Amino acid sequence: SSLAPWIPVVGLEIHAQISSNSKLFSGSQVQFAAPPNSLVSFFDASLPGTLPVLNRRCVEAAVMTGLALNCSINKKSLFDRKHYFYADLPAGYQITQQRVPIAVNGSLSYSLCIDNKMSQMVTKTVRIKQIQLEQDSGKSLHDDTRSQTLVDLNRAGVGLMEVVMEPDMCCGEEAAAAVRELQLILQTLGSSQAVMAEGQLRVDANVSVHHPGEPYGVRTEVKNINSIRFLAKAIDYEIQRQIEELENGGTILNETRAFDSKLGCTVPMRDKEGKQDYRFMPEPNLPPLILYDAQSLPANMNHQQVINIDWIHERLPDLPSVKREKLVEQYGILPEHSFTLLNEDGLAEFFESVVEQTQMKPKKVIGWIIKDLLGYLKQHSLTVKESPVSSFLLADLLNLLEKKEISSTAAKRVLAELWKGEGKTPLEIVKEQKLELLRDQKELEQICQAVIDGQENE
């Protein structure tokens, strides 16, 4: 069997925290790192007699996201209770959309490089099974020294979109590229800030391996991966682990694992053998969620009371794929450069701003942006917004170069000075360090003559 190749299969479930001021079913504020239990309403704490009220903004965010991912939006979706017992889930159940989610049957196209060569990009598509609205749980903080668990309910009831992808991927690199593209789309829409470091985007990866022509193998689920780099590592490690296990005559357990980023490996969490029975039931306190489009919208309806799918569709911003095409068309830059521009927050705007203010051709400007500007920012772990050199100063410098007033070597020296952020203009630095190119033939002759005279005197 070791002669036949192993085919890895990867499917992702992604929880994106909806960017909204208040929670999914309560008026409590949503805020990262607030003092523990300071943002908890009676409903969040699940006091008897409290009732859920659906947050319109969360529904709109889910519809936007569904449309951006080419999904069919269900005009009627339902809420369910998913029961399990855990300290940070005071109600003993989570409200989710198990039976009929808000959006289904979508797709996400993403690109990745072949053999780490930026110049060879291949585009792939992953099918999206569904997007559902659900509540987040609270946070349990395990205090080992005092062997107790502290519960913070600030996050309890915050709105999430769960994006379920079909198992269409085969390695960590593909999964990482797909999640990065999803993250860009969410941020472009504003439906989620999708900052992984703040837990606004959490990924669970289902991984299995099998031989060609055979049914899929037993899968394991690697839970709560909170960075794109770790996602790729966790999946690739898990694929290798399963192959080695099977080739050594072992079996794969259907279990939940966690990725230990310090050790670079996955470790078992709790096995799924005693398959948890979530006892799903319809949420009795919430009616079906009804959405409308231009056709089905009742004439006498108050627009504040309904959500019109077509209205949201017309107002969708340009998605990253369209933005990249426009950059390539408008400025004649390479497709791989358009990916770099969009991957760094604010870099595309910076580039366009420099192009507007300089006579230099965009194809030449892009080199300065990617090699020099981005290179420096990465080296010093700065974001584009934190750059000590503004688009105005860089344009100023490139204009001097374009007008042949300085050489490109001199331009690099000026840029090195500009990084110091001392408030000098490129021209002042050129004058100070005498970096101008000489164009006056008389002046040049005088210098040459002085050198010759100096030689004669020796």
Side-chain angles (χ1 to χ4, degrees):
S1 76
S2 58
L3 297 175
W6 290 101
I7 298 176
V9 177
V10 178
L12 303 179
E13 291 168 17
I14 298 156
H15 287 94
Q17 183 184 312
I18 297 169
S19 169
S20 81
N21 297 330
S22 51
K23 296 185 182 180
L24 185 56
F25 298 115
S26 80
S28 301
Q29 248 193 302
V30 177
Q31 193 191 326
F32 181 66
N37 298 306
S38 60
L39 306 172
V40 188
S41 70
F42 291 155
F43 176 78
D44 305 330
S46 190
L47 297 192
T50 53
L51 291 168
V53 178
L54 182 56
N55 177 341
R56 177 193 175 102
R57 157 71 190 161
C58 292
V59 178
E60 287 174 341
V63 170
M64 275 172 92
T65 306
L67 291 170
L69 297 176
N70 312 301
C71 292
S72 306
I73 307 293
N74 281 325
K75 295 212 185 93
K76 179 182 179 180
S77 60
L78 307 171
F79 288 99
D80 304 281
R81 290 184 179 184
K82 173 181 180 175
H83 296 83
Y84 62 94
F85 290 106
Y86 208 67
D88 55 26
L89 190 79
Y93 61 83
Q94 172 202 39
I95 303 178
T96 177
Q97 293 191 302
Q98 151 77 4
R99 295 163 299 159
V100 187
I102 193 162
V104 292
N105 299 335
S107 64
L108 168 67
S109 293
Y110 60 96
S111 298
L112 64 165
C113 337
I114 314 173
D115 312 328
N116 283 337
K117 284 207 272 296
M118 269 307 271
S119 54
Q120 288 180 291
M121 311 277 294
V122 54
T123 300
K124 303 199 168 193
T125 301
V126 55
R127 290 169 298 152
I128 305 246
K129 186 177 179 221
Q130 62 185 56
I131 299 176
Q132 61 202 45
L133 280 167
E134 60 186 34
Q135 295 171 302
D136 207 345
S137 59
K139 233 187 193 144
S140 296
L141 304 150
H142 305 292
D143 180 351
D144 290 334
T145 47
R146 288 191 279 184
S147 66
Q148 60 178 9
T149 296
L150 304 170
V151 175
D152 178 7
L153 294 180
N154 282 350
R155 206 179 64 187
V158 166
L160 298 178
M161 294 178 281
E162 182 179 2
V163 180
V164 182
M165 295 181 176
E166 298 283 4
D168 294 342
M169 291 171 282
C170 69
C171 63
E173 195 189 1
E174 286 188 7
V179 171
R180 177 65 184 125
E181 188 67 9
L182 176 65
Q183 185 180 38
L184 278 176
I185 289 170
L186 294 171
Q187 290 168 341
T188 303
L189 296 171
S191 59
S192 169
Q193 288 163 4
V195 178
M196 288 188 111
E198 294 186 10
Q200 294 165 356
L201 200 66
R202 311 196 280 282
V203 185
D204 302 338
N206 291 299
V207 180
S208 68
V209 297
H210 66 280
H211 286 306
E214 289 178 9
Y216 285 180
V218 176
R219 67 174 195 208
T220 58
E221 183 178 19
V222 187
K223 296 282 281 185
N224 282 336
I225 306 165
N226 60 2
S227 102
I228 289 180
R229 207 161 44 91
F230 292 160
L231 173 66
K233 283 189 174 159
I235 290 171
D236 290 336
Y237 175 87
E238 186 57 23
I239 290 169
Q240 275 319 111
R241 185 192 71 83
Q242 291 187 16
I243 291 173
E244 281 165 26
E245 184 75 39
L246 291 166
E247 293 198 335
N248 294 329
T251 53
I252 302 298
L253 298 174
N254 173 227
E255 62 180 356
T256 307
R257 298 176 73 89
F259 180 66
D260 184 322
S261 53
K262 292 195 179 64
L263 298 174
C265 65
T266 63
V267 291
M269 272 167 68
R270 47 174 193 264
D271 68 54
K272 280 191 167 180
E273 285 304 327
K275 196 73 177 122
Q276 212 167 348
D277 178 12
Y278 291 120
R279 302 197 318 284
F280 283 103
M281 62 170 266
E283 166 54 73
N285 294 326
L286 286 165
L289 171 56
I290 308 292
L291 306 174
Y292 297 91
D293 57 17
Q295 250 93 50
S296 63
L297 196 68
N300 54 357
M301 220 28 146
N302 174 0
H303 287 285
Q304 301 299 301
Q305 296 297 310
V306 294
I307 286 176
N308 180 345
I309 300 165
D310 290 331
W311 192 88
I312 293 175
H313 200 228
E314 284 159 18
R315 283 158 183 75
L316 284 183
D318 274 352
L319 293 179
S321 54
V322 176
K323 280 190 192 163
R324 284 191 281 258
E325 276 169 26
K326 285 189 176 173
L327 285 168
V328 170
E329 267 173 42
Q330 196 176 341
Y331 301 111
I333 61 175
L334 296 169
E336 57 267 28
H337 287 160
S338 72
F339 277 89
T340 310
L341 285 181
L342 281 199
N343 274 340
E344 298 301 322
D345 188 28
L347 193 61
E349 292 75 17
F350 193 101
F351 165 72
E352 293 195 274
S353 174
V354 173
V355 170
E356 271 169 32
Q357 302 174 65
T358 170
Q359 283 99 45
M360 188 180 273
K361 289 204 165 66
K363 281 184 182 177
K364 280 170 77 179
V365 173
I366 193 80
W368 284 87
I369 293 281
I370 289 174
K371 282 199 205 72
D372 302 271
L373 178 86
L374 193 57
Y376 177 90
L377 295 177
K378 284 257 186 282
Q379 206 181 333
H380 295 82
S381 318
L382 294 170
T383 64
V384 176
K385 293 191 172 50
E386 293 164 340
S387 169
V389 178
S390 65
S391 59
F392 173 73
L393 283 175
L394 184 58
D396 235 9
L397 173 60
L398 297 185
N399 275 335
L400 292 176
L401 179 59
E402 193 61 17
K403 290 184 198 148
K404 302 212 169 29
E405 290 184 20
I406 54 172
S407 67
S408 63
T409 321
K412 303 245 183 226
R413 278 180 60 184
V414 175
L415 188 58
E417 285 296 313
L418 287 173
W419 285 130
K420 297 177 183 171
E422 292 167 353
K424 292 177 194 158
T425 67
L427 196 57
E428 285 166 358
I429 295 168
V430 168
K431 291 259 194 293
E432 228 170 70
Q433 304 205 3
K434 302 203 166 41
L435 296 169
E436 307 100 318
L437 282 177
L438 289 172
R439 291 165 118 188
D440 183 345
Q441 199 173 348
K442 284 257 169 19
E443 197 180 341
L444 197 57
E445 282 171 11
Q446 280 169 358
I447 292 172
C448 295
Q449 195 59 53
V451 171
I452 293 167
D453 295 346
Q455 296 296 79
E456 280 173 5
N457 295 345
E458 276 179 19

